[in-house]
């Protein structure tokens, strides 16, 4: 990311070109777990986006204060604080969502998108750029979740946002809202995204490996390792 | 005794953390290419999961007692991060052979959602300390079973002729879907066995 981007580009890159789920393959756990219904997918997307924007702003504002060596624990504390705030707000105002998301709400802390953005972007860029980057990534995450959940809820329960859409003559295929359906739909959505990206002349999405891992920078052993080392050098 | 087996088998088979709860997908997709790395990673996960549960469970009781329950998320993730570092240092100094086989996987575990997930679920499910320990052990073993099985599936995939648009990650996910489907067959097994 050597060239300067305008704020507009920072925002849109998170939605399409560098979509965190479909292009960077980050945050796969919540993508699979919370897309059984559109409602929980949107709730998850918005919660993660709020945490992402807030933590990006704070981390970027503190980037000159935080010592290089202990930056990862510092980032984790900032992120965990915002997750706790979001958790409390959801519990207080949208208790049904809290029940649907369950353990995945506190698990936003370990969502690789958030720590990944803190490490790759907010730690190096200005507050405004980081906020816009966080917003773009958050929207991209939400969009990917909505795409996944539309397919899964429509085929698995025959409804959208809880309203039944398909006629009763079409029986819902429950397997799509169970675990195997999650992997399956994700695989197909990923294949479509790859196809579109290829048509546009971009590379296929591959699992980032060490490059995407937020711990990569603090992990010398992996940098010296065989497979992973190459990944890191490329980055 | 019955309940111990029931918790253990539920965590390994019916409620497998990877294949039915979607926790720890990143290492599942990332480190399962080769059998020996899959085993190494899972062994490190089992170790850290059990240790992390043993530490966070009493801590949570302490937090609850002083009505600081809202600090749970922050405290748990920090304890896990610190614990992983500590384990790394101790292993490096005293058990170098174990460190050489598990060492490279340890730093990756801090951000593994399965570890934080199991500590939180232990509390949410209202387990007692011994049940929580068994559940963590089961979750770790389940992680290993899924990883090892999937490493086998992937090695078969390498020699297959896959349509171009499915190559790479998409076919891996479809294979994961089928592996998960096979685990769906265990539904109801534990309930019936101990009924």
């Amino acid at each position: 990311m050597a060239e300067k981007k305008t704020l507009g580009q920072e925002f849109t890159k998170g939605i399409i070109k560098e979509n965190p789920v479909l292009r960077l393959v980050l945050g796969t756990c919540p993508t699979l777990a919370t897309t059984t219904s559109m409602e929980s997918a949107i709730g998850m997307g918005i919660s993660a986006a709020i945490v992402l924007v807030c933590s990006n702003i704070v981390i970027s504002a503190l980037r000159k204060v935080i010592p290089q060596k202990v930056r990862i624990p510092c980032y984790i504390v900032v992120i965990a604080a915002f997750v706790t705030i979001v958790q409390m707000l959801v519990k207080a105002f949208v208790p049904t969502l809290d029940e649907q998301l369950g353990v995945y709400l506190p698990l936003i802390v370990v969502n690789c998108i958030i720590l990944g953005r803190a490490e790759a972007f907010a730690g190096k860029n200005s507050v405004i750029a980081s906020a816009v980057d966080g917003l773009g990534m958050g929207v991209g995450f939400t969009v990917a979740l909505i795409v996944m959940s539309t397919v899964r809820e429509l085929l698995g329960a025959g409804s959208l946002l809880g309203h039944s859409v398909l006629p009763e003559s079409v029986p819902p295929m429950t397997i799509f809202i169970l675990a195997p359906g999650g992997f399956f739909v994700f695989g197909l959505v990923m294949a479509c995204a790859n196809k579109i990206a290829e048509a546009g002349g971009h590379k296929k999405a591959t699992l980032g490996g060490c490059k995407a891992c937020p711990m990569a920078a603090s992990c010398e052993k992996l940098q010296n390792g065989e497979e992973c080392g190459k990944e890191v050098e490329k980055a | 005794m019955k309940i111990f087996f029931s918790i253990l088998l539920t965590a390994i088979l019916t409620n497998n953390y990877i294949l039915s709860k979607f926790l720890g997908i990143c290492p599942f997709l990332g480190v399962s290419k080769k059998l020996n790395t899959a085993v190494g990673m899972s062994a490190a996960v089992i170790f850290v999961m059990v240790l992390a549960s043993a530490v966070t469970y009493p801590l949570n009781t302490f937090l609850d007692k002083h009505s600081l329950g809202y600090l749970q998320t922050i405290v748990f993730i920090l304890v896990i991060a610190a614990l992983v570092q500590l384990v790394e240092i101790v292993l490096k100094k005293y058990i170098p052979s174990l460190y050489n086989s598990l060492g490279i996987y340890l730093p990756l575990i801090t951000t593994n959602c399965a570890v934080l997930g199991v500590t939180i679920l232990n509390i949410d499910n209202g387990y007692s300390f011994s049940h929580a320990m068994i559940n963590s052990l089961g979750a770790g073993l389940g992680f290993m079973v899924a990883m090892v099985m999937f490493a086998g599936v992937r090695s078969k995939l390498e020699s297959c002729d896959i349509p171009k648009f499915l190559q790479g990650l998409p076919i891996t996910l479809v294979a994961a879907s089928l592996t998960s489907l096979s685990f769906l067959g265990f539904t109801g097994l534990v309930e019936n066995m101990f009924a």
Side-chain angles (χ1 to χ4, degrees):
Chain A
M1 260 182 270
E3 80 266 39
K4 272 267 173 207
K5 283 185 179 135
T6 62
L7 286 182
Q9 280 169 323
E10 292 295 4
F11 178 69
T12 49
K13 75 161 193 250
I15 303 175
I16 301 161
K17 226 173 128 192
E18 291 181 26
N19 187 295
V21 177
L22 299 174
R23 304 293 304 146
L24 304 179
V25 204
L26 295 172
T28 40
C29 305
T31 309
L32 290 165
T34 61
T35 50
T36 48
S37 75
M38 236 170 138
E39 215 182 321
S40 60
I42 294 172
M44 183 67 193
I46 293 175
S47 316
I50 294 171
V51 176
L52 193 51
V53 172
C54 296
S55 63
N56 257 10
I57 291 174
V58 171
I59 288 168
S60 159
L62 292 175
R63 70 184 186 279
K64 294 196 177 113
V65 186
I66 297 175
Q68 190 67 10
K69 276 196 173 161
V70 291
R71 67 188 189 286
I72 300 279
C74 296
Y75 294 168
I76 292 179
V77 176
V78 171
I79 295 167
F82 282 113
V83 170
T84 309
I85 294 170
V86 168
Q87 223 179 324
M88 286 166 146
L89 288 174
V90 170
K91 262 194 191 125
F93 295 106
V94 218
T96 47
L97 185 67
D98 181 56
E99 269 168 41
Q100 276 175 356
L101 294 181
V103 72
Y104 298 100
L105 198 55
L107 284 181
I108 298 176
V109 175
V110 281
N111 187 325
C112 357
I113 299 174
I114 296 171
L115 197 54
R117 286 331 280 174
E119 170 75 8
F121 198 92
K124 295 169 193 145
N125 288 284
S126 70
V127 176
I128 295 168
S130 303
V132 174
D133 173 80
L135 193 63
M137 285 289 164
V139 173
F141 181 58
T142 315
V143 168
L145 288 185
I146 291 176
V147 170
M148 285 269 299
S149 64
T150 312
V151 179
R152 287 183 74 186
E153 200 185 337
L154 192 65
L155 295 177
S159 61
L160 282 179
L161 274 174
H163 306 287
S164 47
V165 184
L166 290 183
E168 281 194 10
S169 53
V170 183
M173 293 171 271
T174 320
I175 192 81
F176 276 99
I177 50 174
L178 296 176
F183 284 110
F184 189 70
V185 172
F186 193 29
L188 292 192
V189 169
M190 188 72 85
C192 294
N194 278 348
K195 192 89 188 163
I196 296 168
E198 245 172 42
H202 298 290
K203 268 203 308 180
K204 257 185 183 181
T206 45
L207 201 65
C210 287
K211 201 171 74 178
C213 164
M215 307 301 286
S218 59
C219 145
E220 289 163 28
K221 282 177 287 332
L222 271 177
Q223 290 183 356
N224 300 331
E226 296 151 25
E227 275 175 48
C228 295
K230 286 173 202 151
E231 285 275 26
V232 174
E233 273 163 36
K234 261 188 264 167
Chain B
M1 211 51 215
K2 232 172 161 183
I3 186 129
F4 284 116
F5 277 111
S6 151
I7 291 177
L8 192 67
L9 284 178
T10 307
I12 297 177
L13 298 175
T14 47
N15 276 342
N16 189 288
Y17 271 64
I18 294 181
L19 295 170
S20 76
K21 286 198 176 130
F22 300 120
L23 296 172
I25 300 289
C26 300
F28 179 59
L29 296 175
V31 211
S32 62
K33 259 190 194 144
K34 286 190 209 122
L35 191 63
N36 54 346
T37 48
V39 172
M41 179 74 185
S42 328
V45 166
I46 296 178
F47 189 58
V48 172
M49 257 184 188
V50 174
L51 211 59
S53 301
V55 176
T56 51
Y57 193 91
L59 257 177
N60 186 67
T61 322
F62 174 80
L63 286 180
D64 272 350
K65 210 164 153 195
H66 298 268
S67 55
L68 292 168
Y70 59 90
L71 284 176
Q72 196 196 48
T73 314
I74 299 186
V75 170
F76 277 24
I77 186 70
L78 280 181
V79 165
I80 292 171
L83 197 69
V84 171
Q85 289 287 317
L86 210 67
V87 167
E88 206 186 339
I89 295 168
V90 170
L91 282 187
K92 201 174 185 176
K93 181 94 169 76
Y94 295 105
I95 322 173
S97 58
L98 192 62
Y99 176 77
N100 287 333
S101 51
L102 298 188
I104 47 168
Y105 306 107
L106 282 174
L108 298 172
I109 289 176
T110 318
T111 48
N112 181 340
C113 44
V115 176
L116 183 62
V118 81
T119 55
I120 295 176
L121 282 174
N122 278 339
I123 310 290
D124 283 358
N125 290 349
Y127 285 142
S128 70
F129 184 70
S130 51
H131 291 176
M133 297 307 295
I134 292 289
N135 185 44
S136 323
L137 182 67
L141 287 174
F143 189 89
M144 184 176 240
V145 169
M147 286 281 275
V148 169
M149 271 181 57
F150 196 54
V153 173
R154 278 186 87 162
S155 67
K156 289 273 178 216
L157 268 184
E158 302 229 315
S159 56
C160 288
D161 185 21
I162 300 157
K164 195 167 172 260
F165 73 104
L166 277 177
Q167 275 168 18
L169 206 53
I171 194 69
T172 313
L173 286 164
V174 173
S177 158
L178 295 177
T179 316
S180 160
L181 195 63
S182 66
F183 270 70
L184 211 59
F186 290 119
T187 314
L189 173 92
V190 178
E191 287 84 347
N192 290 329
M193 210 195 257
F194 296 100

